[in-house]
Amino acid sequence: MRHGKKFNHLGRKTAHRKAMLANMACSLIEHKRINTTEAKAKALRKYVEPLITKAKAENNSTAEKNTHNRRVVFSYLRNKYAVTELFKEISVKVADRPGGYVRIIKLGNRQGDNAPMAMVELVDYNELYNPNGKKAKKTTRRSRRGGSKSAAPVTNDTEASQEEE
C-alpha cells in the first residue's frame, strides 16, 4: 500500500533521483522540450514548476529576494546557465500565467521495453497549442471550376482603365 507516499521514488536512491531530476530540469529549460518516460515526466513536473514560480516572483520583488530566489533555484538545478535562462527568458514569457507551466503529452510505448513514453514541454514555447503565438495561415476551399469572385472584377477594372488611357 502507498500510505503517505507523496512522490514517486523512481526506483532510485535519493542522491541519484535528485541528480537525475536536476539534469532533466536543466535539459528542459535549455531545449524547451524533452522525451522521457511518463513516470519521470510527472516527477519532473512537480520538480520544475515551483522553480519557475520562484523565477517568476523575481519580477515583482526586491533585490534581496531576487538573490535569495536565484540561490534557492541554483541549489536545485546546480547549473548557472540554466538558472540564468530561467530567470531572464522563461520567467518573462510566463509572467502572466497563473500556473501550469509544463505540458505532458503521451507518445505511446518505447519499442525496446514497452515503457510508456511522454514528451515534456514548456507550455509557452509551443506555437501549435499556444493561441497567442504565431498562427498558421488559414486556407479556404475553392472550387476548381470558378476562380475567386473578388479577383475577377479587379482584373476587368484594370483592363478598362488601361483602355481609356
Side-chain angles (χ1 to χ4, degrees), residues 63-137:
E64 296 85 23
K65 202 169 187 181
N66 295 349
T67 306
H68 178 67
N69 283 344
R70 279 182 182 265
R71 287 177 177 167
V72 168
V73 170
F74 181 75
S75 71
Y76 280 91
L77 293 180
R78 294 174 257 167
N79 183 341
K80 63 182 179 181
Y81 302 110
V83 172
T84 303
E85 184 159 349
L86 178 65
F87 276 79
K88 283 192 177 177
E89 295 177 15
I90 296 173
S91 66
V92 173
K93 201 151 192 175
V94 301
D96 56 341
R97 181 175 289 279
Y101 313 111
V102 176
R103 178 183 293 127
I104 297 175
I105 300 172
K106 296 180 181 181
L107 299 176
N109 294 343
R110 188 163 48 197
Q111 191 162 11
D113 58 355
N114 209 30
M117 297 297 288
M119 179 172 61
V120 185
E121 65 181 6
L122 294 174
V123 172
D124 292 315
Y125 284 89
N126 188 339
E127 290 84 20
L128 296 176
Y129 290 122
N130 189 2
N132 299 332
K134 299 177 184 176
K135 293 185 179 180
K137 185 178 177 183

Side-chain angles (χ1 to χ4, degrees), residues 1 5 24-25 40 62 102 108 113 122 135 145-146 151 165:
M1 288 188 264
K5 185 177 174 187
M24 288 174 63
K40 288 180 190 173
T62 61
V102 176
D113 58 355
L122 294 174
K135 293 185 179 180
R145 289 178 282 153
E165 292 176 3

